[in-house]
Amino acid sequence: MFIVLDKAINIITKHPIISGLVIVLALTLPALMSFISTYGKTEIEIVVAPSDASIETEDKRLKNGINHLSPGEYQVSVSRDGFESATRLIAVVDGEYQIIPIALTPITDEAFEIMVDDPAYLDIEFATGEIARMEGEEFRQQQPIVENLPHRGLLFDIDYRLTEGSDTEIVLQITADSEIDRQYALDQIRNWGFEPEDFAIEYL
């Protein structure tokens, strides 16, 4: 075996082209392996506290941070001694980046001290805020009229509420004392570049 290895080293060192190919292969192999292992998978970020908690799905262990999963539903279980375990059902959608924060609740005095000292709980707060920001941006993209609301005027007010059972569908609420003022409110909606007929509207 050593003789074969010695011959291989001699060939590599005496042939510049082969040496170059070996170097290129050595430099690109990690990236190639990473590409192969993540091909067809979606990047999701799991943020857990405490930071050393165990994260598992039905068939594999995950890590605190970036993971690559194939699209589908996963039951993610997070556990650590001294903390109440947690389970989340997550849906991985192809190409859709997600942040999944999971904070465990301490059930012992020692675990409570860990929680106080572990900066991962601050990471959870940050991740939760980032999720709210992303959801807010997505909502505004789906319902751009909300950038103008609430609108308060002398003759009418325009606001909105979410449709019952929906996180994205809205009902425009127009408060006006007369039919003419309601028409002014509809004109205002048109001035913003929207058609009132495209919305569910309730008059208050």
Side-chain angles (χ1 to χ4, degrees):
M1 178 180 175
F2 291 109
I3 295 174
V4 173
L5 183 60
D6 186 55
K7 286 183 178 180
I9 292 172
N10 283 333
I11 292 172
I12 291 171
T13 55
K14 290 180 179 179
H15 295 82
I17 293 176
I18 296 177
S19 298
L21 288 174
V22 170
I23 292 171
V24 169
L25 182 62
L27 293 174
T28 59
L29 189 59
L32 179 62
M33 294 300 293
S34 176
F35 173 78
I36 292 172
S37 67
T38 60
Y39 181 76
K41 298 181 179 179
T42 295
E43 183 176 278
I44 66 167
E45 184 174 0
I46 300 177
V47 184
V48 300
S51 55
D52 60 349
S54 173
I55 313 168
E56 298 179 342
T57 63
E58 297 90 333
D59 59 351
K60 66 187 299 185
R61 291 181 66 89
L62 302 177
K63 61 182 179 180
N64 191 359
I66 300 296
N67 294 268
H68 294 86
L69 296 175
S70 299
E73 288 193 342
Y74 297 84
Q75 183 167 293
V76 177
S77 299
V78 181
S79 60
R80 190 194 188 285
D81 289 342
F83 292 81
E84 185 175 341
S85 298
T87 301
R88 299 282 188 277
L89 183 64
I90 64 171
V92 177
V93 180
D94 187 24
E96 183 179 299
Y97 175 78
Q98 293 185 67
I99 302 175
I100 301 162
I102 305 174
L104 300 185
T105 303
I107 54 178
T108 67
D109 292 341
E110 181 183 356
F112 183 79
E113 291 178 7
I114 291 172
M115 182 189 76
V116 170
D117 294 334
D118 193 338
Y121 281 89
L122 293 178
D123 294 339
I124 293 284
E125 291 292 327
F126 176 81
T128 303
E130 185 66 9
I131 290 171
R133 184 191 65 77
M134 291 167 63
E135 289 176 346
E137 285 183 359
E138 182 179 355
F139 176 67
R140 287 189 293 275
Q141 288 175 359
Q142 293 178 351
Q143 300 290 353
I145 194 172
V146 301
E147 296 285 358
N148 303 288
L149 303 175
H151 174 83
R152 304 289 182 239
L154 294 175
L155 302 177
F156 58 83
D157 295 338
I158 307 175
D159 208 338
Y160 75 94
R161 66 172 176 81
L162 290 174
T163 301
E164 187 174 346
S166 173
D167 293 328
T168 57
E169 298 300 318
I170 64 172
V171 176
L172 295 183
Q173 299 176 307
I174 295 177
T175 303
D177 293 332
S178 68
E179 183 62 31
I180 293 177
D181 292 342
R182 289 180 179 180
Q183 290 303 317
Y184 286 145
L186 297 178
D187 288 341
Q188 177 63 71
I189 293 171
R190 293 187 184 96
N191 289 337
W192 288 331
F194 304 98
E195 290 298 327
E197 295 78 11
D198 294 337
F199 299 94
I201 297 178
E202 62 183 14
Y203 295 97
L204 304 176

